[in-house]
Amino acid sequence: FWPNSPPAKFPPKTRSNHGLPAAASVNAKAPDLPGAFHLNRRDPAAYFAETIFALNIWTIARPAVESHVQHRSVQDSNPQLLAVSEPSYLTAALRKAGALVSKCLDALTDIVKPGVPTSEIDEFVRKFAFDHGAYPATLMYRGYRHSTCTSINHVVCHGMPDDKPLREGDIVNIDVTYILDGWHGDSSRMYPVGQIKRAAERLMEVTYECLMRGITAVRPGARTGAIGEAIQTYAEAERCTVVRDFCGHGLGRVFHDRPNILHYGEPGEGTVLEPGMLFTIEPMINLGKPHVKILADGWTAVTRDRELSAQFEHAVGVTETGCEIFTVSPAGYHFPPYDIRAAA
Ligand code: MF3
Ligand code: CO
Ligand code: CO
């Protein structure tokens, strides 16, 4: 399914590695998500709240989802891929989880405004999940204690919601993952906050186009490297760069599973795609250099040069003929400006 018209421009062949290792030599190190968190013993109220979190006593308990395989890191070269034995059942489950995430992302369109703190967005995402019988997969995931990631401006990913209000001119990625009936839906979009600069708008356009070009590379027999190549080629032709430190991932009953989906590389690299494979594509594209660093909180990833970064994410499945997107916006809010696109 292709929500918008297919790409028109063809990028040049020159691509660079910015002094970083080639995808083949990295060969899909799983994203190493740091998870340590510390109890605050000086503030009794915070200590109580954090203990509640630590004991996982929440409105709805976090569902057990294949925890024995959830956090292993996986070599992309391992041929033992997520084997889909019951495709129709799987597809139905993934469609349901994906559709709920997309519905939530649609609803956020009216909520993201100057002055709104990201904690309010987080609260909305959590309530929306519970109201629909779902659970936010990031809540209590490896010590993460929010229902969404809100990555503003130079934040590449895993931005933590807080009480700071969004400001006119910000661009923010909101990343929602829900567990519904034991299956994961994972998607993210960029949201402009009020009027934004043209450079920010262009970065969002390039990033969305990168995601959609990556998706068109998905078909049985192709390798995951073809997805990365499609993304990298376009991003660099548009004078943007591809973040190497985070990748897309298999998902289903497990949040972060095989295969790793690198957003750069060559068509001959990576895993051969087969019908039934389920994974995300979630390119993080920068206006400046591709390099990132993780802040002291152990989560927030920012660009080293503090230039803008953007990301869009879809959950997809390989079909006999190509691929299915599980997280298409029901309202037609594919990329900003959402009001204009939806009306068109
Ligand atoms: N939703 C993110 C992804 O696309 C993962 C967030 S994990 C968290 O894979 F713990 F940082 F929330
Ligand atoms: Co996500
Ligand atoms: Co993801």
Side-chain angles (χ1 to χ4, degrees), residues 175-177 186-188 282 313:
D175 191 332
V176 174
T177 312
D186 186 5
S187 182
S188 81
E282 47 184 300
E313 174 177 23

Side-chain angles (χ1 to χ4, degrees), residues 205-224:
E205 287 166 7
V206 170
T207 307
Y208 182 77
E209 183 69 25
C210 281
L211 170 60
M212 297 319 287
R213 284 182 182 234
I215 289 173
T216 43
V218 176
R219 67 182 70 95
R223 288 179 183 269
T224 55

Side-chain angles (χ1 to χ4, degrees), residues 218-286:
V218 176
R219 67 182 70 95
R223 288 179 183 269
T224 55
I227 302 168
E229 193 238 16
I231 293 167
Q232 185 184 7
T233 304
Y234 183 74
E236 293 178 1
E238 294 292 326
R239 301 179 311 284
C240 296
T241 60
V242 178
V243 169
R244 311 294 204 273
D245 301 64
F246 300 93
C247 60
H249 51 91
L251 94 165
R253 281 205 172 276
V254 174
F255 189 175
H256 291 118
D257 202 357
R258 292 167 289 182
N260 283 339
I261 306 295
L262 304 192
H263 303 117
Y264 63 103
E266 300 294 336
E269 294 165 354
T271 303
V272 177
L273 300 176
E274 292 169 33
M277 285 180 184
L278 311 164
F279 51 84
T280 72
I281 305 178
E282 47 184 300
M284 284 138 277
I285 306 296
N286 296 350

Side-chain angles (χ1 to χ4, degrees), residues 12-34:
K13 295 216 159 35
T14 47
R15 296 187 295 121
S16 88
N17 258 344
H18 311 280
L20 295 162
S25 68
V26 176
N27 204 9
K29 193 160 87 49
D32 196 20
L33 296 170

Side-chain angles (χ1 to χ4, degrees), residues 4 109 192 195 201 331-344:
N4 290 313
T109 308
Q195 283 298 316
E201 187 181 58
Y333 296 165
H334 305 302
F335 68 99
Y338 294 113
D339 46 347
I340 293 169
R341 301 285 163 192

